[in-house]
Amino acid sequence: MIVNAARRLNRAAGMIAGSVLIDSAMEHHRGYFHNKLMWTPIATSSLSIAASFHGHTDRRHGAHRVRDVIYALAGVTGIVGTAFHLYNVTKKVGGWSWQNLFYSAPIGAPAAMSLCGLMGFLAERVRDNEPGSKPTIAGVNAGRVVAALTGASLLGTTAEAGLLHFRGAFHNPAMALPVTMPPIAAGLLAVAAVGRARVPRPASRKWLAATAAMGVAGVAFHAYGVSRGMGGWRNWRQNAFAGPPLPAPPAFTGLALAGLAALALLAAYPDE
Amino acid sequence: MSDRSRYPGYDVLAKRETPSWDEPTRRAIDKRLHVSTAARFLTAAEWAGADALCRRILPQDEEGETVPLAALLDAKLFADHGDGFREADMPYMREAWRAGLAALEAEAKARYDGHSFAAISIDDQDSLIAMMQKGLLSAAHWPGLDAQRFFERRVLVDVPALYYGHPKAWSEIGFGGPASPRGYVRLEGDRRDPWEAAEAVSGQEEAARRLNQHVV
Protein backbone atom coordinates (compact mmCIF):
# COMPACT_ATOMS: atom_id res chain seq x y z
CA MET A 1 0.00 0.00 0.00
CA ILE A 2 2.83 2.41 0.82
CA VAL A 3 4.45 1.73 -2.55
CA ASN A 4 1.12 2.00 -4.34
CA ALA A 5 0.44 5.40 -2.75
CA ALA A 6 3.94 6.50 -3.75
CA ARG A 7 3.34 5.29 -7.30
CA ARG A 8 0.10 7.28 -7.43
CA LEU A 9 2.05 10.36 -6.43
CA ASN A 10 4.69 9.55 -9.07
CA ARG A 11 1.91 9.45 -11.66
CA ALA A 12 0.52 12.75 -10.37
CA ALA A 13 3.98 14.31 -10.72
CA GLY A 14 4.30 12.83 -14.21
CA MET A 15 0.92 14.24 -15.21
CA ILE A 16 1.94 17.74 -14.14
CA ALA A 17 5.35 17.32 -15.79
CA GLY A 18 3.65 16.39 -19.08
CA SER A 19 1.49 19.48 -18.86
CA VAL A 20 4.55 21.63 -18.14
CA LEU A 21 6.60 20.06 -20.93
CA ILE A 22 4.07 20.72 -23.68
CA ASP A 23 3.02 24.11 -22.31
CA SER A 24 6.57 25.43 -21.88
CA ALA A 25 7.66 23.96 -25.22
CA MET A 26 4.82 25.76 -27.02
CA GLU A 27 5.13 29.04 -25.16
CA HIS A 28 8.91 29.18 -25.30
CA HIS A 29 8.84 28.28 -28.99
CA ARG A 30 6.52 31.23 -29.36
CA GLY A 31 9.19 33.28 -27.57
CA TYR A 32 11.82 31.84 -29.95
CA PHE A 33 13.86 30.54 -26.97
CA HIS A 34 15.09 34.12 -26.97
CA ASN A 35 16.89 33.45 -23.68
CA LYS A 36 18.80 30.15 -23.70
CA LEU A 37 17.53 29.48 -20.17
CA MET A 38 14.10 29.01 -21.72
CA TRP A 39 15.24 25.47 -22.59
CA THR A 40 15.46 24.63 -18.87
CA PRO A 41 11.82 23.60 -18.28
CA ILE A 42 11.93 21.44 -21.41
CA ALA A 43 14.83 19.53 -19.91
CA THR A 44 13.61 19.32 -16.32
CA SER A 45 10.05 18.39 -17.22
CA SER A 46 11.32 15.69 -19.61
CA LEU A 47 13.50 14.31 -16.83
CA SER A 48 10.56 14.48 -14.44
CA ILE A 49 8.40 12.49 -16.86
CA ALA A 50 11.13 9.87 -17.09
CA ALA A 51 11.53 9.78 -13.27
CA SER A 52 7.79 9.55 -12.78
CA PHE A 53 7.46 6.71 -15.27
CA HIS A 54 10.32 4.97 -13.52
CA GLY A 55 8.59 5.46 -10.19
CA HIS A 56 5.36 4.12 -11.63
CA THR A 57 7.05 0.89 -12.70
CA ASP A 58 9.15 0.62 -9.53
CA ARG A 59 7.52 -1.61 -6.88
CA ARG A 60 10.30 -1.45 -4.33
CA HIS A 61 10.33 0.39 -1.02
CA GLY A 62 12.77 3.20 -0.34
CA ALA A 63 13.37 6.55 -1.99
CA HIS A 64 15.31 6.49 -5.24
CA ARG A 65 18.29 8.82 -5.26
CA VAL A 66 18.18 9.79 -8.94
CA ARG A 67 14.42 10.38 -8.85
CA ASP A 68 14.90 12.52 -5.76
CA VAL A 69 17.55 14.62 -7.49
CA ILE A 70 15.36 15.08 -10.56
CA TYR A 71 12.33 16.10 -8.53
CA ALA A 72 14.46 18.51 -6.49
CA LEU A 73 15.73 19.96 -9.76
CA ALA A 74 12.13 20.41 -10.91
CA GLY A 75 11.24 22.18 -7.69
CA VAL A 76 14.20 24.57 -7.97
CA THR A 77 13.57 25.16 -11.69
CA GLY A 78 10.02 26.21 -10.89
CA ILE A 79 11.15 28.69 -8.26
CA VAL A 80 13.89 30.16 -10.46
CA GLY A 81 11.48 30.25 -13.40
CA THR A 82 8.94 32.16 -11.35
CA ALA A 83 11.64 34.70 -10.50
CA PHE A 84 12.51 35.02 -14.19
CA HIS A 85 8.90 35.51 -15.16
CA LEU A 86 8.45 38.12 -12.41
CA TYR A 87 11.51 39.92 -13.75
CA ASN A 88 10.03 39.72 -17.26
CA VAL A 89 6.87 41.42 -16.00
CA THR A 90 8.72 44.22 -14.20
CA LYS A 91 10.99 45.10 -17.12
CA LYS A 92 8.02 45.70 -19.43
CA VAL A 93 6.84 49.25 -19.96
CA GLY A 94 4.38 49.95 -17.17
CA GLY A 95 6.00 47.46 -14.79
CA TRP A 96 3.51 45.99 -12.36
CA SER A 97 0.20 46.39 -14.15
CA TRP A 98 -2.69 44.14 -15.06
CA GLN A 99 -1.71 44.51 -18.70
CA ASN A 100 1.75 43.04 -18.08
CA LEU A 101 0.46 40.39 -15.67
CA PHE A 102 -1.92 39.24 -18.39
CA TYR A 103 0.34 39.41 -21.40
CA SER A 104 3.93 38.98 -20.22
CA ALA A 105 5.47 35.68 -19.25
CA PRO A 106 2.80 33.96 -17.08
CA ILE A 107 3.82 34.07 -13.44
CA GLY A 108 1.97 30.93 -12.42
CA ALA A 109 3.29 28.69 -15.18
CA PRO A 110 6.75 27.90 -13.74
CA ALA A 111 5.11 27.24 -10.39
CA ALA A 112 3.53 24.15 -11.96
CA MET A 113 7.07 22.82 -12.40
CA SER A 114 7.62 23.26 -8.67
CA LEU A 115 4.34 21.49 -7.91
CA CYS A 116 5.54 18.58 -10.05
CA GLY A 117 8.73 18.51 -7.99
CA LEU A 118 6.70 18.72 -4.78
CA MET A 119 4.48 15.78 -5.74
CA GLY A 120 7.56 13.78 -6.74
CA PHE A 121 9.25 14.69 -3.48
CA LEU A 122 6.19 13.52 -1.56
CA ALA A 123 6.14 10.30 -3.60
CA GLU A 124 9.71 9.51 -2.59
CA ARG A 125 9.11 10.44 1.06
CA VAL A 126 6.05 8.17 1.24
CA ARG A 127 7.99 5.36 -0.41
CA ASP A 128 10.82 5.81 2.05
CA ASN A 129 8.73 4.37 4.89
CA GLU A 130 9.37 0.88 6.19
CA PRO A 131 7.04 -1.85 4.82
CA GLY A 132 4.13 -2.37 7.18
CA SER A 133 4.76 0.84 9.11
CA LYS A 134 2.40 3.78 9.29
CA PRO A 135 3.87 6.12 6.65
CA THR A 136 5.00 9.52 7.94
CA ILE A 137 6.73 12.49 6.41
CA ALA A 138 9.00 14.36 8.81
CA GLY A 139 7.24 12.60 11.65
CA VAL A 140 3.75 13.64 10.59
CA ASN A 141 1.15 11.25 9.18
CA ALA A 142 1.93 11.08 5.45
CA GLY A 143 -1.70 11.29 4.36
CA ARG A 144 -2.17 14.52 6.28
CA VAL A 145 1.00 16.06 4.80
CA VAL A 146 0.09 15.10 1.24
CA ALA A 147 -3.51 16.29 1.69
CA ALA A 148 -2.42 19.66 3.09
CA LEU A 149 0.25 20.36 0.48
CA THR A 150 -1.92 19.16 -2.40
CA GLY A 151 -4.77 21.38 -1.23
CA ALA A 152 -2.46 24.40 -1.10
CA SER A 153 -1.12 23.52 -4.56
CA LEU A 154 -4.64 23.38 -5.96
CA LEU A 155 -5.21 26.93 -4.71
CA GLY A 156 -2.04 28.12 -6.48
CA THR A 157 -3.05 26.56 -9.76
CA THR A 158 -6.53 28.04 -9.33
CA ALA A 159 -4.97 31.50 -9.02
CA GLU A 160 -3.22 31.08 -12.38
CA ALA A 161 -6.37 29.81 -14.10
CA GLY A 162 -8.34 32.60 -12.43
CA LEU A 163 -6.00 35.31 -13.71
CA LEU A 164 -6.12 34.03 -17.28
CA HIS A 165 -9.83 33.26 -17.29
CA PHE A 166 -10.47 36.74 -15.87
CA ARG A 167 -8.40 38.07 -18.78
CA GLY A 168 -10.80 36.08 -20.97
CA ALA A 169 -13.72 37.73 -19.17
CA PHE A 170 -15.15 34.28 -18.33
CA HIS A 171 -16.85 34.54 -21.71
CA ASN A 172 -17.75 30.86 -21.60
CA PRO A 173 -19.59 29.77 -18.40
CA ALA A 174 -17.38 26.65 -18.27
CA MET A 175 -14.44 28.95 -17.58
CA ALA A 176 -15.82 29.33 -14.06
CA LEU A 177 -15.28 25.60 -13.32
CA PRO A 178 -11.49 25.72 -12.72
CA VAL A 179 -11.91 28.61 -10.28
CA THR A 180 -14.73 26.95 -8.34
CA MET A 181 -14.16 23.19 -8.35
CA PRO A 182 -10.47 23.14 -7.30
CA PRO A 183 -10.90 25.52 -4.34
CA ILE A 184 -13.70 23.31 -3.04
CA ALA A 185 -11.45 20.29 -3.55
CA ALA A 186 -8.71 22.16 -1.68
CA GLY A 187 -11.15 22.83 1.15
CA LEU A 188 -12.11 19.17 1.32
CA LEU A 189 -8.43 18.19 1.42
CA ALA A 190 -7.81 20.71 4.19
CA VAL A 191 -10.66 19.18 6.18
CA ALA A 192 -9.20 15.72 5.58
CA ALA A 193 -5.72 16.93 6.56
CA VAL A 194 -6.82 18.10 9.98
CA GLY A 195 -9.98 16.04 10.48
CA ARG A 196 -10.57 12.47 11.55
CA ALA A 197 -8.61 9.91 9.54
CA ARG A 198 -10.79 6.84 9.76
CA VAL A 199 -13.82 8.22 7.86
CA PRO A 200 -14.13 7.07 4.24
CA ARG A 201 -15.05 10.54 2.79
CA PRO A 202 -16.81 9.24 -0.36
CA ALA A 203 -18.04 12.73 -1.29
CA SER A 204 -14.51 14.15 -1.14
CA ARG A 205 -13.23 11.30 -3.29
CA LYS A 206 -15.97 11.89 -5.85
CA TRP A 207 -15.29 15.61 -5.86
CA LEU A 208 -11.56 15.07 -6.42
CA ALA A 209 -12.32 12.57 -9.19
CA ALA A 210 -14.57 15.17 -10.79
CA THR A 211 -11.77 17.75 -10.50
CA ALA A 212 -9.40 15.32 -12.17
CA ALA A 213 -11.93 14.80 -14.97
CA MET A 214 -12.32 18.58 -15.28
CA GLY A 215 -8.59 18.86 -16.03
CA VAL A 216 -9.02 16.47 -18.94
CA ALA A 217 -12.22 18.13 -20.12
CA GLY A 218 -10.34 21.44 -20.01
CA VAL A 219 -8.17 20.26 -22.89
CA ALA A 220 -11.31 19.65 -24.95
CA PHE A 221 -12.71 23.05 -23.96
CA HIS A 222 -9.43 24.72 -24.92
CA ALA A 223 -9.42 22.84 -28.23
CA TYR A 224 -12.89 24.23 -28.84
CA GLY A 225 -11.53 27.68 -27.96
CA VAL A 226 -8.80 27.29 -30.55
CA SER A 227 -11.39 26.30 -33.15
CA ARG A 228 -13.32 29.47 -32.35
CA GLY A 229 -10.36 31.68 -33.29
CA MET A 230 -10.49 33.25 -36.75
CA GLY A 231 -9.41 30.58 -39.23
CA GLY A 232 -10.04 27.83 -36.64
CA TRP A 233 -7.75 24.81 -36.48
CA ARG A 234 -6.64 25.39 -40.07
CA ASN A 235 -4.96 28.49 -38.63
CA TRP A 236 -3.48 26.51 -35.71
CA ARG A 237 -0.10 28.20 -35.99
CA GLN A 238 -1.74 31.36 -34.69
CA ASN A 239 -4.71 30.07 -32.71
CA ALA A 240 -2.99 27.26 -30.79
CA PHE A 241 -0.45 29.81 -29.53
CA ALA A 242 -2.57 32.94 -29.15
CA GLY A 243 -5.63 30.98 -27.97
CA PRO A 244 -6.28 29.04 -24.74
CA PRO A 245 -3.29 26.79 -23.85
CA LEU A 246 -4.18 23.17 -24.63
CA PRO A 247 -1.74 21.51 -22.19
CA ALA A 248 -2.45 23.69 -19.15
CA PRO A 249 -5.63 22.15 -17.61
CA PRO A 250 -4.21 18.64 -16.86
CA ALA A 251 -2.17 20.23 -14.06
CA PHE A 252 -5.47 20.10 -12.14
CA THR A 253 -5.76 16.40 -12.98
CA GLY A 254 -2.31 15.71 -11.58
CA LEU A 255 -3.06 17.52 -8.33
CA ALA A 256 -6.49 15.90 -7.95
CA LEU A 257 -4.88 12.47 -8.41
CA ALA A 258 -2.42 13.36 -5.65
CA GLY A 259 -5.36 14.40 -3.47
CA LEU A 260 -7.00 11.03 -4.05
CA ALA A 261 -3.74 9.35 -3.07
CA ALA A 262 -3.75 11.41 0.16
CA LEU A 263 -7.30 10.33 1.01
CA ALA A 264 -6.37 6.69 0.36
CA LEU A 265 -3.35 7.03 2.63
CA LEU A 266 -5.48 8.58 5.39
CA ALA A 267 -8.05 5.81 5.12
CA ALA A 268 -5.43 3.05 5.12
CA TYR A 269 -3.19 4.47 7.87
CA PRO A 270 -5.30 6.40 10.36
CA ASP A 271 -3.22 7.98 13.11
CA GLU A 272 -5.94 7.82 15.74
CA MET B 1 12.18 43.27 -56.40
CA SER B 2 15.59 44.89 -56.62
CA ASP B 3 18.58 43.71 -54.61
CA ARG B 4 18.57 46.92 -52.62
CA SER B 5 15.31 45.78 -51.02
CA ARG B 6 15.26 45.48 -47.25
CA TYR B 7 13.05 42.42 -47.76
CA PRO B 8 14.89 40.51 -50.49
CA GLY B 9 12.87 37.82 -52.20
CA TYR B 10 9.68 38.70 -50.32
CA ASP B 11 6.45 38.58 -52.31
CA VAL B 12 3.31 39.17 -50.26
CA LEU B 13 1.27 37.36 -52.92
CA ALA B 14 2.96 34.10 -51.89
CA LYS B 15 0.56 34.19 -48.94
CA ARG B 16 -2.44 34.04 -51.26
CA GLU B 17 -3.28 30.35 -50.83
CA THR B 18 -1.97 30.01 -47.25
CA PRO B 19 -4.12 30.13 -44.08
CA SER B 20 -3.18 33.83 -43.82
CA TRP B 21 -5.83 34.78 -46.37
CA ASP B 22 -9.28 33.49 -47.14
CA GLU B 23 -11.70 33.95 -50.00
CA PRO B 24 -12.90 37.49 -49.11
CA THR B 25 -9.26 38.59 -48.64
CA ARG B 26 -8.29 37.16 -52.02
CA ARG B 27 -11.28 38.82 -53.70
CA ALA B 28 -10.43 42.24 -52.23
CA ILE B 29 -6.79 42.01 -53.29
CA ASP B 30 -7.58 40.61 -56.74
CA LYS B 31 -9.68 43.70 -57.36
CA ARG B 32 -6.66 45.91 -56.87
CA LEU B 33 -4.44 43.68 -58.98
CA HIS B 34 -6.86 43.64 -61.91
CA VAL B 35 -7.77 47.29 -62.06
CA SER B 36 -9.22 48.43 -65.39
CA THR B 37 -6.64 50.05 -67.65
CA ALA B 38 -9.39 51.70 -69.68
CA ALA B 39 -10.61 55.03 -68.32
CA ARG B 40 -14.07 54.87 -66.84
CA PHE B 41 -14.28 58.21 -65.05
CA LEU B 42 -11.40 60.34 -66.35
CA THR B 43 -11.24 61.56 -69.95
CA ALA B 44 -8.20 60.56 -71.99
CA ALA B 45 -6.64 64.00 -71.44
CA GLU B 46 -7.33 63.91 -67.68
CA TRP B 47 -5.88 60.41 -67.52
CA ALA B 48 -2.65 61.58 -69.21
CA GLY B 49 -2.36 64.51 -66.78
CA ALA B 50 -3.11 62.33 -63.75
CA ASP B 51 -0.60 59.74 -64.93
CA ALA B 52 2.14 62.38 -65.29
CA LEU B 53 1.30 63.89 -61.88
CA CYS B 54 1.35 60.50 -60.14
CA ARG B 55 4.73 59.67 -61.65
CA ARG B 56 6.15 62.81 -60.06
CA ILE B 57 4.49 62.32 -56.67
CA LEU B 58 5.65 58.70 -56.39
CA PRO B 59 8.39 58.05 -58.95
CA GLN B 60 8.75 54.33 -59.63
CA ASP B 61 11.46 52.18 -61.12
CA GLU B 62 10.00 51.91 -64.62
CA GLU B 63 12.21 48.87 -65.37
CA GLY B 64 10.37 46.61 -62.94
CA GLU B 65 6.74 46.07 -61.99
CA THR B 66 4.98 49.35 -61.28
CA VAL B 67 1.81 50.24 -59.45
CA PRO B 68 -0.68 51.59 -62.05
CA LEU B 69 -1.49 54.74 -60.11
CA ALA B 70 -3.53 56.52 -62.83
CA ALA B 71 -5.67 53.41 -63.32
CA LEU B 72 -6.17 53.05 -59.57
CA LEU B 73 -7.10 56.73 -59.30
CA ASP B 74 -9.61 56.35 -62.13
CA ALA B 75 -11.10 53.29 -60.41
CA LYS B 76 -11.31 55.17 -57.10
CA LEU B 77 -13.06 58.11 -58.71
CA PHE B 78 -15.31 55.81 -60.74
CA ALA B 79 -16.39 53.92 -57.62
CA ASP B 80 -16.80 57.29 -55.86
CA HIS B 81 -16.18 55.85 -52.40
CA GLY B 82 -15.40 59.13 -50.70
CA ASP B 83 -13.60 59.76 -47.44
CA GLY B 84 -16.80 59.80 -45.43
CA PHE B 85 -16.28 63.47 -44.76
CA ARG B 86 -15.60 66.63 -46.73
CA GLU B 87 -13.76 69.68 -45.55
CA ALA B 88 -15.86 72.81 -45.91
CA ASP B 89 -13.45 74.54 -48.29
CA MET B 90 -13.00 71.52 -50.52
CA PRO B 91 -15.30 70.19 -53.26
CA TYR B 92 -16.34 66.54 -53.33
CA MET B 93 -13.58 64.11 -54.32
CA ARG B 94 -14.67 63.72 -57.94
CA GLU B 95 -15.07 67.47 -58.54
CA ALA B 96 -11.83 68.26 -56.75
CA TRP B 97 -9.81 65.93 -58.92
CA ARG B 98 -11.51 67.00 -62.11
CA ALA B 99 -11.01 70.69 -61.31
CA GLY B 100 -7.45 70.16 -60.07
CA LEU B 101 -6.35 68.25 -63.16
CA ALA B 102 -8.01 70.84 -65.43
CA ALA B 103 -6.26 73.67 -63.57
CA LEU B 104 -2.85 71.99 -63.82
CA GLU B 105 -3.48 71.48 -67.51
CA ALA B 106 -4.44 75.14 -67.96
CA GLU B 107 -1.36 76.28 -65.99
CA ALA B 108 0.93 74.16 -68.16
CA LYS B 109 -0.63 75.43 -71.38
CA ALA B 110 -0.41 79.05 -70.23
CA ARG B 111 3.25 78.78 -69.21
CA TYR B 112 4.73 76.33 -71.72
CA ASP B 113 3.60 77.33 -75.23
CA GLY B 114 0.29 75.51 -75.11
CA HIS B 115 1.84 72.17 -74.14
CA SER B 116 -0.22 69.98 -71.86
CA PHE B 117 1.08 68.99 -68.40
CA ALA B 118 1.94 65.48 -69.55
CA ALA B 119 3.99 66.80 -72.46
CA ILE B 120 6.28 69.24 -70.65
CA SER B 121 9.63 68.16 -69.21
CA ILE B 122 9.90 66.50 -65.82
CA ASP B 123 11.69 69.58 -64.44
CA ASP B 124 8.88 71.81 -65.63
CA GLN B 125 6.32 69.44 -64.12
CA ASP B 126 8.20 69.54 -60.83
CA SER B 127 8.35 73.33 -60.78
CA LEU B 128 4.60 73.53 -61.47
CA ILE B 129 3.91 71.04 -58.68
CA ALA B 130 6.18 73.01 -56.34
CA MET B 131 4.30 76.21 -57.15
CA MET B 132 1.02 74.39 -56.49
CA GLN B 133 2.38 73.23 -53.14
CA LYS B 134 3.48 76.76 -52.19
CA GLY B 135 0.25 78.39 -53.36
CA LEU B 136 2.00 80.40 -56.08
CA LEU B 137 -0.34 79.52 -58.94
CA SER B 138 -2.74 82.10 -60.34
CA ALA B 139 -6.24 81.80 -58.94
CA ALA B 140 -7.69 82.38 -62.43
CA HIS B 141 -7.16 78.75 -63.40
CA TRP B 142 -8.50 77.43 -60.09
CA PRO B 143 -12.20 78.34 -59.90
CA GLY B 144 -13.75 77.00 -56.70
CA LEU B 145 -10.57 75.16 -55.66
CA ASP B 146 -7.48 76.33 -53.80
CA ALA B 147 -4.34 74.96 -55.49
CA GLN B 148 -2.42 74.49 -52.26
CA ARG B 149 -5.35 72.78 -50.56
CA PHE B 150 -5.84 70.49 -53.58
CA PHE B 151 -2.20 69.47 -53.29
CA GLU B 152 -2.33 68.89 -49.53
CA ARG B 153 -5.75 67.35 -49.17
CA ARG B 154 -6.13 65.34 -52.39
CA VAL B 155 -2.82 64.74 -54.20
CA LEU B 156 -0.73 64.00 -51.10
CA VAL B 157 -3.50 61.91 -49.54
CA ASP B 158 -4.87 59.94 -52.47
CA VAL B 159 -1.77 59.08 -54.49
CA PRO B 160 0.31 57.56 -51.63
CA ALA B 161 -2.80 55.75 -50.37
CA LEU B 162 -3.28 54.16 -53.78
CA TYR B 163 0.39 53.23 -53.96
CA TYR B 164 0.60 51.69 -50.51
CA GLY B 165 -2.72 49.91 -50.95
CA HIS B 166 -1.15 47.82 -53.69
CA PRO B 167 0.52 44.43 -53.01
CA LYS B 168 3.60 45.49 -54.96
CA ALA B 169 4.21 48.24 -52.40
CA TRP B 170 3.49 45.76 -49.57
CA SER B 171 6.25 43.47 -50.82
CA GLU B 172 8.55 46.48 -51.03
CA ILE B 173 7.99 47.55 -47.41
CA GLY B 174 7.66 44.03 -45.97
CA PHE B 175 3.98 44.42 -45.09
CA GLY B 176 2.01 41.20 -44.75
CA GLY B 177 -1.24 42.41 -46.25
CA PRO B 178 -4.55 42.01 -44.43
CA ALA B 179 -4.24 40.11 -41.14
CA SER B 180 -7.37 38.22 -42.04
CA PRO B 181 -8.05 35.56 -41.12
CA ARG B 182 -4.56 34.94 -39.73
CA GLY B 183 -3.11 37.58 -37.44
CA TYR B 184 0.16 37.49 -35.57
CA VAL B 185 1.40 35.68 -32.49
CA ARG B 186 4.78 37.21 -31.73
CA LEU B 187 3.88 40.81 -31.09
CA GLU B 188 7.04 42.13 -29.46
CA GLY B 189 9.54 44.22 -31.35
CA ASP B 190 11.96 42.28 -33.55
CA ARG B 191 10.13 38.97 -33.07
CA ARG B 192 9.00 37.43 -36.32
CA ASP B 193 6.20 35.00 -37.09
CA PRO B 194 7.11 32.53 -39.84
CA TRP B 195 4.51 34.12 -42.11
CA GLU B 196 6.06 37.59 -41.82
CA ALA B 197 8.58 39.16 -44.17
CA ALA B 198 12.18 38.81 -43.01
CA GLU B 199 14.11 42.07 -42.92
CA ALA B 200 17.66 41.89 -44.24
CA VAL B 201 20.53 42.75 -41.95
CA SER B 202 23.30 44.48 -43.89
CA GLY B 203 25.68 41.84 -45.21
CA GLN B 204 23.27 38.98 -44.44
CA GLU B 205 20.79 39.51 -47.26
CA GLU B 206 20.93 35.84 -48.25
CA ALA B 207 19.62 34.72 -44.85
CA ALA B 208 16.60 37.01 -45.22
CA ARG B 209 16.10 35.88 -48.82
CA ARG B 210 15.98 32.24 -47.71
CA LEU B 211 13.38 33.03 -45.05
CA ASN B 212 11.36 35.06 -47.50
CA GLN B 213 11.08 32.06 -49.83
CA HIS B 214 8.90 30.40 -47.17
CA VAL B 215 6.61 33.10 -45.84
CA VAL B 216 3.65 30.78 -45.33
Side-chain angles (χ1 to χ4, degrees):
Chain A
M1 173 62 210
I2 287 177
V3 168
N4 273 339
R7 289 173 63 227
R8 291 176 80 164
L9 289 170
N10 282 130
R11 288 197 291 272
M15 187 74 160
I16 303 171
S19 164
V20 170
L21 172 63
I22 301 174
D23 199 29
S24 64
M26 286 179 69
E27 293 297 321
H28 287 182
H29 165 67
R30 175 184 182 177
Y32 266 117
F33 292 97
H34 182 69
N35 185 330
K36 290 283 171 275
L37 287 171
M38 290 163 80
W39 285 101
T40 315
I42 316 289
T44 49
S45 58
S46 298
L47 286 172
S48 298
I49 291 173
S52 302
F53 183 75
H54 184 264
H56 162 68
T57 54
D58 185 0
R59 291 172 187 279
R60 291 167 300 179
H61 275 267
H64 189 281
R65 187 168 298 168
V66 176
R67 286 203 304 263
D68 250 341
V69 169
I70 290 174
Y71 285 134
L73 202 62
V76 171
T77 301
I79 293 166
V80 174
T82 304
F84 262 103
H85 282 207
L86 281 171
Y87 168 66
N88 181 287
V89 170
T90 55
K91 75 177 182 181
K92 288 277 160 63
V93 175
W96 276 107
S97 62
W98 285 110
Q99 161 91 11
N100 288 339
L101 273 178
F102 287 148
Y103 295 106
S104 294
I107 289 178
M113 187 84 253
S114 287
L115 296 185
C116 160
L118 177 63
M119 294 305 133
F121 173 81
L122 293 175
E124 297 309 308
R125 296 291 75 70
V126 168
R127 198 191 283 262
D128 216 14
N129 285 279
E130 292 294 322
S133 67
K134 277 193 179 179
T136 59
I137 296 174
V140 183
N141 178 297
R144 295 196 187 279
V145 174
V146 175
L149 291 176
T150 304
S153 302
L154 273 169
L155 290 180
T157 305
T158 301
E160 169 76 354
L163 178 75
L164 293 178
H165 283 191
F166 174 70
R167 180 184 98 173
F170 293 96
H171 67 270
N172 186 320
M175 291 167 80
L177 290 178
V179 294
T180 48
M181 288 177 69
I184 294 172
L188 294 170
L189 283 171
V191 168
V194 296
R196 290 185 51 211
R198 209 176 290 277
V199 289
R201 303 194 189 280
S204 296
R205 283 213 306 274
K206 284 203 180 87
W207 191 264
L208 278 163
T211 305
M214 181 208 73
V216 176
V219 178
F221 273 111
H222 283 195
Y224 171 67
V226 169
S227 81
R228 297 255 301 160
M230 200 169 178
W233 270 100
R234 193 174 118 78
N235 183 17
W236 67 272
R237 286 204 297 168
Q238 179 191 5
N239 291 334
F241 290 90
L246 287 171
F252 282 117
T253 307
L255 290 174
L257 291 177
L260 284 168
L263 293 185
L265 272 172
L266 275 170
Y269 303 104
D271 49 2
E272 292 141 359
Chain B
M1 193 89 309
S2 78
D3 281 323
R4 289 168 300 145
S5 168
R6 295 179 68 184
Y7 303 92
Y10 173 61
D11 181 5
V12 70
L13 293 177
K15 295 174 78 171
R16 194 177 190 282
E17 301 296 336
T18 71
S20 283
W21 293 358
D22 59 8
E23 203 43 48
T25 318
R26 286 190 282 271
R27 266 203 306 275
I29 290 167
D30 285 352
K31 235 169 98 180
R32 296 183 195 182
L33 287 171
H34 301 111
V35 63
S36 167
T37 48
R40 287 176 295 174
F41 175 78
L42 298 171
T43 66
E46 286 168 340
W47 180 294
D51 188 42
L53 177 64
C54 289
R55 281 168 201 271
R56 298 317 300 150
I57 298 300
L58 264 165
Q60 301 186 60
D61 181 4
E62 306 281 340
E63 300 285 300
E65 182 202 356
T66 56
V67 177
L69 290 172
L72 287 167
L73 177 64
D74 181 71
K76 179 183 171 80
L77 295 171
F78 180 73
D80 200 19
H81 290 155
D83 305 312
F85 65 94
R86 180 179 68 85
E87 290 180 57
D89 62 345
M90 287 289 288
Y92 286 102
M93 179 175 72
R94 281 180 157 185
E95 285 107 76
W97 269 103
R98 195 145 254 168
L101 290 171
L104 264 187
E105 191 67 6
E107 294 280 4
K109 283 185 170 159
R111 288 160 196 266
Y112 300 100
D113 295 335
H115 289 303
S116 66
F117 182 79
I120 62 178
S121 74
I122 284 174
D123 289 341
D124 292 339
Q125 288 175 350
D126 283 355
S127 77
L128 255 187
I129 293 170
M131 288 167 79
M132 167 167 67
Q133 177 186 9
K134 291 171 186 159
L136 301 177
L137 294 176
S138 55
H141 294 305
W142 299 80
L145 182 66
D146 180 89
Q148 201 171 7
R149 297 279 292 153
F150 171 67
F151 181 75
E152 284 171 2
R153 310 305 301 182
R154 288 263 66 106
V155 178
L156 279 195
V157 172
D158 290 338
V159 178
L162 292 171
Y163 182 80
Y164 286 105
H166 193 276
K168 191 248 162 194
W170 299 347
S171 297
E172 177 187 314
I173 62 173
F175 178 58
S180 168
R182 179 156 69 187
Y184 298 94
V185 175
R186 296 165 183 88
L187 306 178
E188 288 175 49
D190 219 18
R191 301 281 173 90
R192 175 182 169 268
D193 281 323
W195 51 96
E196 278 183 275
E199 187 175 358
V201 178
S202 185
Q204 296 171 28
E205 284 78 5
E206 272 316 300
R209 186 186 303 279
R210 267 198 306 280
L211 288 172
N212 282 331
Q213 300 304 315
H214 306 284
V215 179
V216 289

